[in-house]
Amino acid sequence: MDVRAVRFDGPVLEIEQLGEVEDGDLVVETCITRTLPPALTLEHGLCSIREAMEELKLDPPSSTSGLLRFQVAVPPSAKALHLFCCQPESSQVYPVFFISKDEDQSYKSLLLNETRGVFGSGAAAYFTGPSSHTMNGHSSIKRYLASDSTLITTYGFVDVDFKNEPCSMKHMPGSYYFFIPQIELDERKDVSVLAAMLVWSEASFCTFQEALASLKLSLDQTSSNLPHAMERFGISYLGPTLRKVNIVDSSLVTKVYSYVNSLMATSFAPNSTVLIESTSSHQFCIRLSAVTCVSNNMLDHAARSIQWENLANINSVWASMIIEECVRLGLTYFCMAPGSRSSPLALAAARHPLITCITCYDERSVAFHALGYARGSYKPAVVITTSGTAVSNLLPAVVEASQDFVPLLLLTADRPSELQDCGANQAINQVNHFGHFPRHFYNLPEPSDEVPARVALTALDSAVHYAITVPYGPVHINCPFREPLDSTPKNWDQNCLKGLDTWISNGQPFTKYIKVENSRACTVTQAQIEEVLDLVHGFENGLLVLGELHSEDEIWACLLLARHLKWPVVADMLSGLRLRRVMSSFPEVEDSILFVDHIDHILLSSSFRNWIKIDGILQIGSRITGKRTSQMLERCFPCPYILVDKHSFRHDPSHMITHRIQSSIVIFIDILLKAQNPIKIIRRNYFLQVLNSMVSAELSFQILAEPALTEPQVAHMVSQLLTDDHALFIGNSMVIRDVDFFGHSWSKLTDKLDSLLFDSNLPCQLIRVGANRGVSGIDGLVSTAVGFAMGSNKRIVCLLGDLSFMYDTNGLSLLSQKTSRKPMTIIVTNNKGGAIFSLLPIAQSTEEGVMNKYFYTNHNISLHHLSAAHGIKHVKVQTKNELQDALNESHIQEVDCIIEAESNIPLNSIIHSNLRIFATRVANHAMRTLESCSAPNTASSHLSLCKVQSLDYSSYKIPLRAPLTSTINAEETATSREGFILFLHLEDEVIGLGEVAPLEIHEENLVDVEEQLRLLSHKIEGANITRLLPLLRGSFSSWIWEELGIPPTSIFPSVRCGLEMAILNALAELWSLSLNGILYSQKDVNEISEKSDGVQVCALLDPRGSPEEVASAASALVEEGYTTIKIKVARRHDPLQDASIIREVRKSVGNGIELRADANRKWTYEKAIQFASSIKECNVQYIEEPVQDENDIIRFCEESGLPVALDETLDSCPEDPLEKLANYTHPGIVAVVLKPSMLGGFEKSALVARWAQNQGKMAVVSSTFESSIGLSSYIMFSHYLNLQNYDICKMTRCELTPPVAHGLGTFRWLQEDVTTYPVKIGQNPINGFFEASASDANEYLKKFHINKKIINREFAKEELHKYHLNVDLDGSSHSIKVLDIGQGNDNVVVFLHGFLGSSEDWMAIMKGISGSARCISIDLPGHGESRVKSSNGKAWGQRLSIEVVASIVLKTMEQISSEKVTLVGYSMGARITLFMALKYADKVKGATIISGCPGLRTSAARKRRRAQDDSKARILASYGLEFFLKSWYEGGLWKSLRSHPHFHQVVSSRLQYGDAHSLSRVLSDMSTGRQASLWEDLKHCKVPIALIVGKSDEKFKEIAGRMSSEFPKDSCQIFEIPKSGHAVHLENPLAVARAIRKFSTGFKEEVPDKMEATVKVV
């Protein structure tokens, strides 16, 4: 058949030469990629591609050329080498190839550990050169693949001239042959990608229909020749495949190159520079035609045939045949222990070129090592031992393999029959030596001329068949040998080989086992399966339990099943999905899989146990590690319980299984996936997600907050280390439970798979986990782990306990042997004994001495010396930082390493107990919060309570009694306190009050704050308020990001505090509770009813005056009832003057009053020490921030001996402050001062408070001169923290500390208040203390009345005007849509969107800055609702060049304002903005360029880009907007935007406002390639310029840097916006709005060097 492919050839062109090429001769092809849903199997993936092709055939593209790629993720077991070997000898498609991707490219690696590689079939396009010939008399058009075509890889070789017709190949320097396969299977680290490529070009005489027919041929051939599951181990295909092809001179091609195309530099010139950056392989086989094949390192020694007649003796013959048959069956990894009787087998194995051998003097280690290899590779290893007790030592591994279905082949040498039962040395009865544990046993006869040698072959074939057939397991062949045992010659009769000629010549196993299904049995099974499907469909509250899974295929299938069912998933540690990596930091339940990872800790809550209702259980895989999970399932009984596994063994310890399905897990899941189970998402799912998130966060918090290195910490950190190149092997006893309890599933994906899995809606990847859980012994674990590393071909992280490690120290000899495996890291938690017994009931009832001697088995063995004896690197760690450093180092080094993490049994017991207690508490708290509102099992699509109707605010100005103590400069004293009162309106007329009161000492001001409030008022309107927000465990951060689409760190701390305050007060009003009631849950508050709701208040004393005057003022405060006074210090030049005040105050008030000092970081270290030495006898409770440098705080504690409190140090903490707080666990730091308006709200303050209270430190809430609205909320928050501290002390059995006096005394500075009467704070008549009452504060907020005297103004939303303006230009009439908001013409800001965008893109930013500017946004021509028509009513004819569009924008601006305007443009709009700033300086006041550039410098680059954009425009016109958008947003430029929670809303808006025909014209006309370069014009720019770029947008950051150097000095500012990429205005609008307003309201205004976490000025 004539197979067509598009040919790209011609002379190599350098990029500079492109300028000489005519536009018509330069065509760029952009590849469109369609990602299909993940496939269950390779066969399913091929079917998906076929279905997509059929759809395409019904609706073919209209373009005359194009590249279209279909891709689908398939399971990791889809092996390129197997697929290659299965292709027919008489192929109709060429080329057919396999290329290895492994680091180890020896021929042995092909069989040792399943070499990863790429399979390809057919050529969609090929590239040859250099060539001066023409094709069929026509000059070839110079075609290019666009540089942003994704995942298109070419394969080929250089310096070789290959011609298809006639087929010939010869060496020719400078020539090359590369091709893009039609069918490609690319094995990646934990997923394989199947792709089909369709390329057509009528100019190259390959039409779309011809290309489709050619692709179908390749697809048909591949689909018809798939490997069978039973063929995965053997070389029975590889050897014959290589023998049947005509391999040309191997020296002609020794390297194959493959790289992702970025073919814009040359026509196709794989020059040395490009190839250095590409991937090359020395192991490949490429069938180029029926008669030509190139190959390298592909079993080059496989052609070696054994000269059987030359073997020395009959023992050698039989042993060699046994070993050869093993190799033919795919068993090439041999584990041997030295011995005489096994010499024939050992010699035969050692001499075989395809076998890899490893030895150990300990047979027990050898057997466990083989077990580990089989676990990792899914195929049996071969164990060879001598006779006697050497065989008996295999028993533990045999039992483990039998119980856990791991295939092993045991070849045990034995004495001949005449030496049995006669006292011969080293002779025991080895027949059925392992009892019933092996799946099969065969006792071979002694090798003899009289016994046909094929007996050994059939015995071996039968045994291996039993080993790899369900139920998998060990098989035992006993091999007796008479002497001679070496290669001593001894005549033997070759008649014993009679009938083996075919076997000797064909390279195939002697016996092939073929299974035929019974059709009647299938009918019966189908009826039973229907019953099961009906059950599954009927479950209202189903639970999916994933037990131990034995292969990546099973894990992959379960992942697809979980996505399909949408049930809660309990994944066992050995399922491979417990330590997965998720795609998003805040995954939505609807779009992801609900994994309940911490079910064991959630089940500690009795509320949850009583609440959870399960009406059906589907368990995939047998074993479950978690004890409480098993108990929960028992409590669900009776209910349908379906267990699916390959074997038929009875794995039902609770005796609950109602339906036991023996089936391949993949086949059963295939049936379920096809059944189209109706999705039932109920509110229970959301509750479970919240519970799991809360418990997970609490466990992480408690683990990270603990200063000591603990075993849960080790498990947590080890799980974080794992990447897609790692696998984990876990020991038994305590470590596997710790990893199950505390292992961390994390949110980091490899860049290559991010887009693929995102589009596949497959939100996570697996991490392989291995463990010996068959009988859960602690023996042989080191040896197993080393074998697991060999078999899995991954970097193994092994976590063991100290006793397990010492139990198998002989396994270290295997670790020290140099093999082809990757480096291992073994982490040993050394608690000097068996810590698990400390967690069992026996530890509570048994005396310590008995426990130490008979259970813990304490020891003092040096692991360092053990490691050194074997020459293995050893690192001992005692702290978390040391462990992290050791793990990081082991990750990058290429050596094996043993990391010993010190622990101790008593601490381990306490930590585990505390973790259980805290997990129980948070689960109970979450349950009460969730249950307080509605019945959790009712159907609902989300957890929202209500929607926000509006967010309003009023500004206030309160006169002061005295200057604020926070004033930076004493001469700049403010006479009033200004801020904003927030009114959050919910449904049912519920209003929540909040207060935003920025201080001048923070990098906030009233203008910036109001701008954020305006923007937030737009974003929050219609937002869902969820019941999760009061939990304060990341719930607010998640809500701000998910619901508002704003990075939480971009909100000013005072604004976020006010927002949280308003929301919490609104929820309290909605639920008829108080703020502290919803935070702690009303039930918990009632449980501690005996505790007063009073909150003691610390007085604030500004020490103006003499020491005596200050002391007198302090005495007056004591008379009022204050028990604690804080005195501001560091206000005088000499610290000794401050010290004299402290001494005088102490003398005046006596020792019964607590004194605090606050230095506000104003002292040098030396002055702070001088002060401290002068007040040592004053019994100060603490001093806040005594030194300027926070790095000196610990040193100050240790040298001065004074207790210290953290204040300003907390303000600079990141969103998650635990890592920074870990530096301040020193006992000299006794308190943290929490200013919610400075920290960023209640959520972060509560987190810091919990950390402090866990450490036994005080958590002191401090106001910052807020009005009674803010103060009331702080009073209730303080009460909540007091209750929390009480709870923590009770749970940890610590002594309850005295009540903390909170820093709420700033109210005394205010003359008036925002309400007609202030909140009640005063002396308690009962105890005499100066207190605030939480209940009074709550009543105050419910009955407030605004004091209108101090309200400056109320927020009034500017009206948004929408209208169209007509613009006439050169005979064309344009109707331009305009959005207009804000007042005045003195500051007009005009916004220009990017390609595909619209005026609506700017709405949030416009509303944010509309208070200081009139904001205009327009739909650019060809976009949105703007329309272009010529004067005669026909569609436009002129090109919409940048000059034309700029003129249209200018005419539009002139109709809006007669004054100069500030332009803001993004991407395409940025190019228009820059052009106008340079060409129309008299009309432009300033220009903000967002992610923009001045064009391309060279004509060649412009020509290239022009052709590239024309290609995309053709695709847009041909395929439509929806199809184009999928391809457009797959580009690397949009990686950050794709992870944005509102990404799909952005795409939907593009569909709503876009027209494919108009947009395709714009894409071509407005191409950067058609725009003249503006680089040279930048130096003449006459208007101020602001350049805004996203921090993750490396490309445009570099462009912005180059642009800034071209502008006149001091005329350009660069704003780098964090938490954003290219579409910065959509990803972080708050930060962009601030930068725009700063720029537009005053071009000479000094921009601060640092803008906190919001705007970084470069």
Side-chain angles (χ1 to χ4, degrees), residues 670-686:
D670 184 27
I671 294 170
L672 277 183
L673 295 181
K674 291 176 179 176
Q676 298 298 320
N677 185 46
I679 297 174
K680 302 174 183 177
I681 299 179
I682 57 175
R683 184 166 296 184
R684 178 196 64 155
N685 289 21
Y686 299 93

Side-chain angles (χ1 to χ4, degrees), residues 1282-1297:
N1282 290 346
L1283 295 175
Q1284 179 175 264
N1285 186 57
Y1286 172 88
D1287 206 5
I1288 289 173
C1289 292
K1290 180 180 178 182
M1291 288 188 296
T1292 56
R1293 297 175 294 279
C1294 296
E1295 182 180 353
L1296 185 63
T1297 57

Side-chain angles (χ1 to χ4, degrees), residues 412 430-433 438-443 475-478:
T412 58
Q430 295 177 195
V431 175
N432 289 315
H433 193 68
R439 300 290 182 262
H440 175 74
F441 170 78
Y442 189 78
N443 191 38
V475 291
H476 178 198
I477 298 181
N478 199 45

Side-chain angles (χ1 to χ4, degrees), residues 1412-1631:
S1412 57
R1414 182 184 177 193
C1415 299
I1416 308 290
S1417 66
I1418 66 174
D1419 283 354
L1420 290 171
H1423 291 78
E1425 298 178 26
S1426 291
R1427 297 290 179 263
V1428 186
K1429 289 190 176 181
S1430 65
S1431 56
N1432 59 11
K1434 296 180 180 179
W1436 80 78
Q1438 70 178 162
R1439 279 191 177 276
L1440 287 176
S1441 65
I1442 189 170
E1443 294 83 3
V1444 170
V1445 175
S1447 297
I1448 295 171
V1449 173
L1450 180 64
K1451 286 180 174 290
T1452 305
M1453 287 164 40
E1454 289 173 343
Q1455 295 186 56
I1456 294 171
S1457 173
S1458 59
E1459 303 294 328
K1460 287 186 176 183
V1461 303
T1462 300
L1463 289 174
V1464 178
Y1466 160 70
S1467 193
M1468 182 182 76
R1471 289 191 284 120
I1472 299 170
T1473 296
L1474 182 60
F1475 178 86
M1476 296 182 68
L1478 295 171
K1479 304 301 181 183
Y1480 306 121
D1482 58 327
K1483 301 291 185 181
V1484 178
K1485 186 192 302 186
T1488 298
I1489 311 299
I1490 303 176
S1491 304
C1493 73
L1496 302 170
R1497 289 183 182 271
T1498 68
S1499 61
R1502 289 193 292 276
K1503 190 176 294 291
R1504 179 186 64 189
R1505 179 58 182 268
R1506 191 159 61 241
Q1508 184 178 354
D1509 287 340
D1510 286 349
S1511 169
K1512 293 178 180 177
R1514 291 195 302 272
I1515 290 170
L1516 176 53
S1518 299
Y1519 293 91
L1521 184 56
E1522 184 175 1
F1523 189 90
F1524 176 82
L1525 287 174
K1526 291 180 180 179
S1527 175
W1528 178 266
Y1529 284 114
E1530 281 179 353
L1533 204 60
W1534 312 108
K1535 180 180 177 183
S1536 178
L1537 180 63
R1538 285 198 301 267
S1539 65
H1540 194 276
H1542 293 177
F1543 169 69
H1544 292 295
Q1545 296 177 24
V1546 172
V1547 175
S1548 296
S1549 71
R1550 303 302 186 240
L1551 289 169
Q1552 179 182 354
Y1553 295 113
D1555 170 69
H1557 177 70
S1558 301
L1559 289 171
S1560 66
R1561 289 289 304 271
V1562 172
L1563 179 56
S1564 178
D1565 292 354
M1566 283 287 291
S1567 168
T1568 313
R1570 290 191 166 85
Q1571 171 189 334
S1573 172
L1574 300 176
W1575 281 98
E1576 292 300 317
D1577 297 322
L1578 299 184
K1579 61 186 69 172
H1580 306 297
C1581 184
K1582 298 178 181 179
V1583 300
I1585 298 291
L1587 303 176
I1588 296 180
V1589 290
K1591 188 171 183 179
S1592 356
D1593 188 359
E1594 297 297 334
K1595 176 182 176 180
F1596 280 85
K1597 278 167 58 177
E1598 189 269 335
I1599 291 174
R1602 286 192 284 123
M1603 288 176 65
S1604 66
S1605 65
E1606 298 288 341
F1607 284 108
K1609 187 178 180 181
D1610 299 328
S1611 67
C1612 175
Q1613 302 173 24
I1614 299 180
F1615 294 81
E1616 185 179 301
I1617 308 297
K1619 307 291 184 183
S1620 59
H1622 187 67
V1624 58
H1625 63 308
L1626 300 176
E1627 298 176 50
N1628 197 344
L1630 277 177

Side-chain angles (χ1 to χ4, degrees), residues 1146-1164:
R1146 173 55 73 197
K1147 187 168 81 172
S1148 175
V1149 301
N1151 292 325
I1153 302 299
E1154 296 285 2
L1155 294 185
R1156 301 169 181 170
D1158 185 3
N1160 291 117
R1161 281 189 170 182
K1162 292 184 178 179
W1163 275 327
T1164 64

Side-chain angles (χ1 to χ4, degrees), residues 289-536:
S289 71
V291 295
T292 305
C293 176
V294 291
S295 176
N296 195 56
N297 263 351
M298 295 289 292
L299 300 186
D300 298 60
H301 297 72
R304 182 211 74 136
S305 60
I306 300 174
Q307 301 300 315
W308 297 97
E309 66 276 6
N310 295 333
L311 292 176
N313 54 57
I314 193 65
N315 283 345
S316 297
V317 173
W318 278 53
S320 297
M321 293 183 71
I322 290 171
I323 300 305
E324 173 66 18
E325 190 72 350
C326 285
V327 173
R328 295 187 184 195
L329 291 165
L331 280 57
T332 61
Y333 192 64
F334 282 62
C335 308
M336 302 188 295
S340 175
R341 188 60 55 172
S342 55
S343 298
L345 293 170
L347 290 172
R351 291 167 179 167
H352 199 289
L354 297 182
I355 284 178
T356 299
C357 297
I358 192 167
T359 61
C360 181
Y361 44 79
D362 183 349
E363 287 85 1
R364 187 180 61 175
S365 291
V366 165
F368 274 111
H369 180 75
L371 173 76
Y373 175 83
R375 280 196 189 281
S377 67
Y378 311 123
K379 61 182 179 181
V382 183
V383 178
I384 295 178
T385 69
T386 189
S387 60
T389 56
V391 179
S392 302
N393 277 308
L394 306 182
L395 179 61
V398 171
V399 173
E400 175 64 30
S402 178
Q403 295 297 101
D404 213 18
F405 310 100
V406 180
L408 284 180
L409 174 58
L410 312 174
L411 300 179
T412 58
D414 199 358
R415 306 281 166 146
S417 56
E418 63 268 20
L419 295 181
Q420 298 292 332
D421 296 326
C422 61
N425 186 44
Q426 207 172 320
I428 63 174
N429 183 4
Q430 295 177 195
V431 175
N432 289 315
H433 193 68
F434 304 116
H436 66 276
F437 291 107
R439 300 290 182 262
H440 175 74
F441 170 78
Y442 189 78
N443 191 38
L444 279 174
E446 293 84 353
S448 167
D449 297 344
E450 299 176 359
V451 179
R454 60 181 181 272
V455 170
L457 299 180
T458 58
L460 192 71
D461 293 338
S462 175
V464 173
H465 174 69
Y466 277 107
I468 63 174
T469 302
V470 177
Y472 307 140
V475 291
H476 178 198
I477 298 181
N478 199 45
C479 307
F481 290 103
R482 296 187 175 95
E483 295 185 354
L485 302 175
D486 57 6
S487 299
T488 300
K490 185 176 181 180
N491 292 335
W492 57 280
D493 189 349
Q494 294 186 19
N495 283 330
C496 67
L497 301 180
K498 186 177 180 180
L500 293 181
D501 294 345
T502 303
W503 177 82
I504 291 173
S505 62
N506 69 6
Q508 300 285 323
F510 186 82
T511 303
K512 292 183 179 179
Y513 281 80
I514 301 170
K515 184 177 181 179
V516 178
E517 297 288 349
N518 184 295
S519 58
R520 181 179 179 278
C522 290
T523 305
V524 175
T525 302
Q526 182 63 34
Q528 295 171 331
I529 287 295
E530 291 293 338
E531 177 190 347
V532 172
L533 291 178
D534 290 342
L535 275 176
V536 172

